[in-house]
């Protein structure tokens, strides 16, 4: 087994492999499953762009069953899970079967959940194909689906048996999706690593030589946090920076927009609003707030948050599963590279933050 040029990161119960030759390691990983039924979960885009490469490089997968779902966050639902559980049962998948999730965060979140619950749990492997899933969603063991318009309400913690990251899959991803993933990298930098922030500010997407660095720096930041607090009783909440408001905006957009915001685009707006709140009550300096906002606004198109819909956004935030008691809880920045979790914020301050975001785009 050649393991040249492969980066290996140990997680709590598993491993992540990153590199151009990552399928050599996958071949070894698949050996115990050569007499098992193997399923590959894809959407129409990973069916088109990724599955052939995967199967050609791994002989064991020649007989795998392909399970295809429609792409998009609107399909990360229990209805689609029902269809997939039904298909697994029709194929007589048993406890020794393996599910390979080949796709973005929707596929790795939902596939992980389906595998974790089918017959009380079958093994699954993540092969993330978007920047967002390579640097964030495929690692850390959070699986699940949306429910009644709210993000990730149904799910379990369960790590993939292995995560295999082939950066070249990003070559077919469009710019909008690359930027969506970049938002999670910006988040990793803002909560933990001011040096990484400086590199990201300059832009790391256009030159594919930077991708490996981007993927491994982000995974290392996330993994270190998750190792300390796998079930999010404390430190893991740092990773929610930008997401209290971001998830509300993402849910709102899914309900109201013909072309909904991507996860990372909503998180980018969330990070601007939550940086504003950080200046108001967590000691973030005005200079750093301005730096954060101009960097983020430099990458993402403006989005109009309608005043008349602010109450709907606040209701969505109140329903966020991260809240405890009655308050709306945030992770806030004290400076670039440092954050505090469990910070309660008054509704008035949140409304100011939404107005602040709009004001930046109307000047
Ligand atoms: N579990 C976690 O820790 C975690 C962390 C962050 C985000 N998430 C979740 O991840 C989801 C977002 O993930 P995403 O941004 O990857 O979205 P996605 O899975 O919807 O993928 C985005 C689009 O890219 C397409 N695509 C995928 N790979 C491609 C490729 N190689 N070439 C061309 N097109 C390709 C997909 O078909 C889709 O249309 C959200 O549901 C979010 O809640 C989970
Ligand atoms: Zn996210």
């Amino acid at each position: 087994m050649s393991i040249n040029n492969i980066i290996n990161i140990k997680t709590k119960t598993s491993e992540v492999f990153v590199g151009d030759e990552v399928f050599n390691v996958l071949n070894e990983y698949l050996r115990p499953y050569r007499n098992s039924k193997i399923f590959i979960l894809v959407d129409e885009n990973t069916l088109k762009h990724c599955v052939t490469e995967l199967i050609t490089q791994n002989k064991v997968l020649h007989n795998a069953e392909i399970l295809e779902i429609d792409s998009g966050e609107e399909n990360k639902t229990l209805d689609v899970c029902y269809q997939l559980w039904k298909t697994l049962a029709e194929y007589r998948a048993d406890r020794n079967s393996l599910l390979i999730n080949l796709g973005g965060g929707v596929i790795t979140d939902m596939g992980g959940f389906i595998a974790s619950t089918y017959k009380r749990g079958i093994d699954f492997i993540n092969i993330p194909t978007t920047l967002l899933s390579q640097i964030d969603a495929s690692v850390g063991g959070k699986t699940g689906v949306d429910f009644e318009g709210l993000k990730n309400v149904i799910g379990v913690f369960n790590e993939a048996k292995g995560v295999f990251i082939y950066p070249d899959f990003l070559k077919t991803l469009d710019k909008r999706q690359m930027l969506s993933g970049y938002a999670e990298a910006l988040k990793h930098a803002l909560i933990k690593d001011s040096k990484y922030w400086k590199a990201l500010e300059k832009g790391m997407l256009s030159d594919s030589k930077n991708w490996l660095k981007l993927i491994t720096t982000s995974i290392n930041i996330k993994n270190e946090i998750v190792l300390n607090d796998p079930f999010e009783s404390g430190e893991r909440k740092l990773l929610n920076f930008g997401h209290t408001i971001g998830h509300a905006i993402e849910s709102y957009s899914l309900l109201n927009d013909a072309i909904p915001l991507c996860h990372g685009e909503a998180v980018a707006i969330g990070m601007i609003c939550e940086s504003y709140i950080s200046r108001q009550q967590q000691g973030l300096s005005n200079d750093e707030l301005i730096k954060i906002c101009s960097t983020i606004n430099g990458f993402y198109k403006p989005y109009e948050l309608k005043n008349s819909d602010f109450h709907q956004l606040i209701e969505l935030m109140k329903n966020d599963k991260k809240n405890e008691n009655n308050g709306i809880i945030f992770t806030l920045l004290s400076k670039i590279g440092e954050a505090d979790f469990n910070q309660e914020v008054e509704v008035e301050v949140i409304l100011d933050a939404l107005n602040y975001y709009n004001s930046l785009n109307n000047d």
Side-chain angles (χ1 to χ4, degrees):
M1 177 174 74
S2 154
I3 50 165
N4 294 338
N5 309 320
I6 294 176
I7 292 158
N8 174 216
I9 299 166
K10 299 249 185 308
T11 65
K12 185 166 173 269
T13 59
S14 170
E15 285 178 279
V16 182
F17 299 94
V18 193
D20 295 341
E21 293 174 34
V22 84
F23 293 128
N24 293 337
V25 187
L26 179 63
N27 266 320
E28 293 298 312
Y29 249 72
L30 291 177
R31 205 164 279 193
Y33 300 97
R34 62 185 179 278
N35 297 319
S36 308
K37 292 198 171 86
I38 302 182
F39 299 86
I40 306 176
L41 181 62
V42 296
D43 63 25
E44 73 279 9
N45 295 313
T46 58
L47 181 67
K48 183 170 172 203
H49 298 298
C50 309
V51 89
T52 310
E53 177 85 39
L54 173 67
I55 292 178
T56 320
Q57 301 234 25
N58 295 274
K59 280 199 204 95
V60 180
L61 299 180
H62 285 186
N63 295 323
E65 297 294 343
I66 309 243
L67 310 179
E68 185 191 349
I69 60 165
D70 291 337
S71 67
E73 184 72 27
E74 63 276 22
N75 296 306
K76 203 175 112 175
T77 61
L78 279 177
D79 287 346
V80 177
C81 289
Y82 179 94
Q83 290 306 323
L84 288 165
W85 283 316
K86 199 165 158 228
T87 309
L88 287 175
E90 281 164 5
Y91 278 110
R92 307 211 187 292
D94 57 26
R95 294 285 288 277
N96 299 319
S97 300
L98 171 73
L99 180 67
I100 296 179
N101 300 316
L102 179 68
V106 168
I107 293 273
T108 55
D109 274 16
M110 187 158 54
F113 176 63
I114 290 160
S116 302
T117 45
Y118 180 79
K119 297 205 169 167
R120 297 204 179 84
I122 61 170
D123 289 351
F124 69 99
I125 280 174
N126 284 340
I127 305 183
T129 62
T130 61
L131 182 65
L132 191 138
S133 58
Q134 293 193 346
I135 69 169
D136 198 321
S138 67
V139 180
K142 277 190 180 179
T143 74
V145 294
D146 304 334
F147 185 64
E148 297 284 312
L150 292 170
K151 291 276 305 169
N152 305 331
V153 170
I154 312 288
V156 298
F157 285 101
N158 190 20
E159 280 202 300
K161 285 285 163 218
V163 180
F164 295 86
I165 300 179
Y166 181 61
D168 270 11
F169 277 146
L170 301 180
K171 288 191 169 152
T172 53
L173 201 64
D174 63 30
K175 186 157 181 248
R176 186 175 173 211
Q177 292 298 342
M178 287 297 277
L179 277 169
S180 177
Y182 206 64
E184 300 283 12
L186 292 165
K187 176 195 77 178
H188 294 138
L190 286 172
I191 59 170
K192 271 284 176 199
D193 188 341
S194 57
K195 228 171 99 193
Y196 187 31
W197 170 261
K198 283 206 157 46
L200 290 167
E201 260 182 333
K202 292 191 197 111
M204 291 178 74
L205 284 183
S206 49
D207 186 349
S208 60
K209 285 198 203 80
N210 293 325
W211 294 353
L212 196 63
K213 183 90 192 137
L214 189 63
I215 294 163
T216 52
T217 310
S218 270
I219 292 180
N220 277 321
I221 292 173
K222 177 168 183 180
N223 189 43
E224 222 167 274
I225 293 173
V226 174
L227 281 174
N228 288 334
D229 177 23
F231 302 115
E232 202 168 302
S233 49
E235 188 183 339
R236 187 167 181 167
K237 294 178 186 174
L238 292 176
L239 293 163
N240 296 331
F241 176 65
H243 282 64
T244 306
I245 293 180
H247 272 162
I249 292 173
E250 186 183 3
S251 296
Y252 169 88
S253 174
L254 270 170
L255 278 176
N256 293 288
D257 297 333
I259 302 174
L261 291 170
C262 301
H263 177 75
E265 290 170 334
V267 169
I269 302 169
M271 287 193 290
I272 291 183
C273 296
E274 296 182 20
S275 296
Y276 171 87
I277 299 172
S278 302
R279 184 193 64 184
Q280 300 307 86
Q281 67 178 65
Q282 212 66 22
L284 181 72
S285 72
N286 198 48
D287 279 359
E288 291 204 330
L289 172 66
I290 290 167
K291 211 184 279 181
I292 293 167
C293 295
S294 62
T295 301
I296 294 178
N297 274 335
F299 288 124
Y300 303 91
K301 286 203 194 94
Y303 179 79
E304 195 198 346
L305 301 170
K306 293 196 193 77
N307 274 67
S308 55
D309 291 332
F310 281 9
H311 68 280
Q312 197 184 340
L313 289 172
I314 298 287
E315 285 311 306
L316 284 163
M317 284 175 225
K318 284 185 175 161
N319 257 317
D320 191 293
K321 65 186 177 313
K322 297 186 284 292
N323 291 328
E324 289 161 19
N325 308 320
N326 285 321
I328 304 182
I329 303 295
F330 286 76
T331 290
L332 298 174
L333 303 175
S334 50
K335 58 183 183 179
I336 291 175
E338 272 181 37
D340 303 299
F341 52 86
N342 279 352
Q343 302 301 311
E344 196 163 337
V345 179
E346 298 289 330
V347 168
E348 282 309 305
V349 182
I350 302 172
L351 292 172
D352 287 348
L354 299 173
N355 278 316
Y356 176 76
Y357 173 78
N358 279 340
S359 76
L360 292 176
N361 294 314
N362 293 331
D363 288 346

